[in-house]
Amino acid sequence: MSDSCATSVREPLERPIARSSRLSHPVAFSAITAIFVLFTAASSAPSPLYVVYQREWGFSATTLTVVFAVYVVGLIGSLLVVGALSDHVGRRPVLAAAIALEAVALVLFITANDVPVLLLARVAQGIATGAAMTTLGATLVDLNPPHAPGRAGVVNGIAPTSGLAVGALGCGVLVQFAPAPTRLVYALLLGGMALAALIVAGIPETSALRQGGWASLTPRLGVPARLRPDLYSLLPILVASWALGGLYLSLGPSVAVGLFGLGSHLVGGLVVTLLCGTAAVTAFALRSRPTGQVLSIAAVLLTAGTALALAGVEADSVALAALGTVIAGIGFGASALACFGELGRLAAPDERGELFAVVFVIAYLAFSLPAVAAGLASTSFGLHTTTVVYSLGVVALGLMTLGIQRVRSTAGR
């Protein structure tokens, strides 16, 4: 990783940060939180619909995996290219562009009648989400209230998982009980994006304009040398938790149908919500705990919960698998809180955009690559075998995290 963040001399400001705004900082903080949830909800909304598309259009599990993968390709490409852009041109312009592109993606979803249009919509959505997430995360840290220095880290840990849970469950409900299941959810999200655009127009700009905006578009992953030990120590739990999330969002509804025989679309949404909703509640509940303690909780419960869910699959027990999912969700939430909270606290203001881009790239690589491999493997080896191997990999990473924590604790950290 590049030393550029740590060693380069910061370029002079060309204009000061705008101070006048129709929204105060506390109101803007709440509004940005809501937009963060909205973006991640939109990203998970297609999950319960995959089985609907598959039935209506007759494509294979491999095609379903490709639909999932192109979203992440767009997202990671966006993080690499525009992850640091808001540190140079300001938060508001990047957020406005992300909202506009997300709206285009939602229109494509509404009009989609075949796989190519669905793929195009997911690519556009991935690019928009990547641009939005790193900028929203940095904006929350910028707006963090002085009297609650850890609040932005808590919200950065809660918002993604909350949105994933809300989007999956809400879409599952609409697919099961409302008309036009492949249209209505996207129309509602489009209305939410229109409101988000109005909010962004009224928030204060928190990042001064700096030279080097064009240069920042060169793909790179830069982490200050002083932050690297902390980031490296978080990698196993970051990878384990997001890899588990990728499994649930890509193949979770298929597991519910194919292995447990649960045909309700609402159940498909609940599968994701059990993991991600529990994660969001956990991140809030543990917000005042020390990072080291939260990391230990994350590693233990992510490992135990995944193992228990796997036991449920082996025993053909829905109740056991659901209990394991809830326990793993607690570990997922604790992991998100510890990772984003610790790095957000340590980063300097002009490092936040690029640092959050790095963290999200790692998270979404973990989220996507194993899930894509699992989708392909399920075609060749079956859903059951794929689920077992995938789950054992998550368990191994959780145990690795426990080992790292023990070593760091022994070293006096």
Side-chain angles (χ1 to χ4, degrees):
M1 293 185 180
S2 170
D3 281 328
S4 59
C5 290
T7 60
S8 62
V9 178
R10 299 296 172 190
E11 294 165 311
L13 302 183
E14 294 185 355
R15 63 159 170 79
I17 300 174
R19 297 294 180 188
S20 61
S21 174
R22 289 177 289 139
L23 297 179
S24 65
H25 275 218
V27 173
F29 186 93
S30 298
I32 290 297
T33 300
I35 295 173
F36 207 151
V37 172
L38 178 65
F39 263 95
T40 51
S43 73
S44 69
S47 289
L49 285 170
Y50 286 151
V51 291
V52 178
Y53 292 132
Q54 198 170 9
R55 184 183 67 245
E56 291 185 356
W57 299 343
F59 56 78
S60 67
T62 300
T63 301
L64 188 153
T65 304
V66 172
V67 173
F68 175 79
V70 294
Y71 163 77
V72 182
V73 170
L75 185 146
I76 291 175
S78 178
L79 289 172
L80 289 172
V81 174
V82 301
L85 184 61
S86 72
D87 290 337
H88 296 272
V89 304
R91 312 297 187 207
R92 290 173 62 194
V94 178
L95 286 177
I99 290 169
L101 184 56
E102 180 73 25
V104 171
L106 292 170
V107 171
L108 288 171
F109 278 121
I110 292 171
T111 59
N113 287 308
D114 53 28
V115 172
V117 178
L118 184 62
L119 289 171
L120 183 60
R122 282 299 269 172
V123 170
Q125 187 178 51
I127 295 171
T129 305
M133 288 184 72
T134 182
T135 308
L136 289 165
T139 306
L140 285 170
V141 178
D142 295 341
L143 294 170
N144 194 85
H147 65 276
R151 184 169 297 175
V154 173
V155 174
N156 272 310
I158 293 174
T161 51
S162 298
L164 292 174
V166 169
L169 181 60
C171 184
V173 170
L174 292 176
V175 171
Q176 188 66 34
F177 301 111
T182 60
R183 305 277 193 283
L184 180 58
V185 63
Y186 301 123
L188 294 174
L189 289 168
L190 187 60
M193 287 297 161
L195 180 59
L198 294 176
I199 291 172
V200 168
I203 65 172
E205 179 56 73
T206 59
S207 181
L209 182 65
R210 301 176 187 274
Q211 295 179 359
W214 285 111
S216 74
L217 298 178
T218 302
R220 64 179 183 179
L221 292 176
V223 177
R226 62 185 178 82
L227 296 181
R228 291 177 189 173
D230 297 282
L231 178 60
Y232 294 156
S233 70
L234 296 172
L235 282 180
I237 194 65
L238 188 67
V239 172
S241 57
W242 283 88
L244 187 64
L247 175 66
Y248 273 74
L249 264 78
S250 61
L251 295 179
S254 298
V255 170
V257 173
L259 298 185
F260 292 113
L262 304 174
S264 169
H265 297 300
L266 179 58
V267 171
L270 281 172
V271 168
V272 178
T273 302
L274 275 179
L275 183 78
C276 297
T278 303
V281 172
T282 299
F284 181 77
L286 297 179
R287 66 192 183 280
S288 60
R289 296 289 186 93
T291 300
Q293 187 180 79
V294 174
L295 274 174
S296 296
I297 291 172
V300 170
L301 295 184
L302 191 74
T303 302
T306 303
L308 193 60
L310 178 57
V313 170
E314 289 296 290
D316 196 24
S317 170
V318 175
L320 192 60
L323 177 60
T325 298
V326 170
I327 294 173
I330 297 174
F332 190 4
S335 167
L337 174 65
C339 294
F340 289 103
E342 181 71 2
L343 294 175
R345 181 182 66 83
L346 294 173
D350 57 355
E351 297 168 341
R352 288 169 187 155
E354 189 167 357
L355 179 62
F356 275 102
V358 171
V359 175
F360 280 123
V361 165
I362 294 169
Y364 274 93
L365 281 173
F367 182 79
S368 60
L369 294 181
V372 170
L376 297 173
S378 66
T379 302
S380 301
F381 303 104
L383 194 56
H384 178 271
T385 301
T386 301
T387 302
V388 170
V389 173
Y390 199 115
S391 299
L392 289 175
V394 172
V395 169
L397 287 169
L399 293 173
M400 186 185 300
T401 300
L402 286 173
I404 290 173
Q405 286 299 105
R406 182 177 293 275
V407 170
R408 286 171 67 86
S409 176
T410 303
R413 292 185 60 85

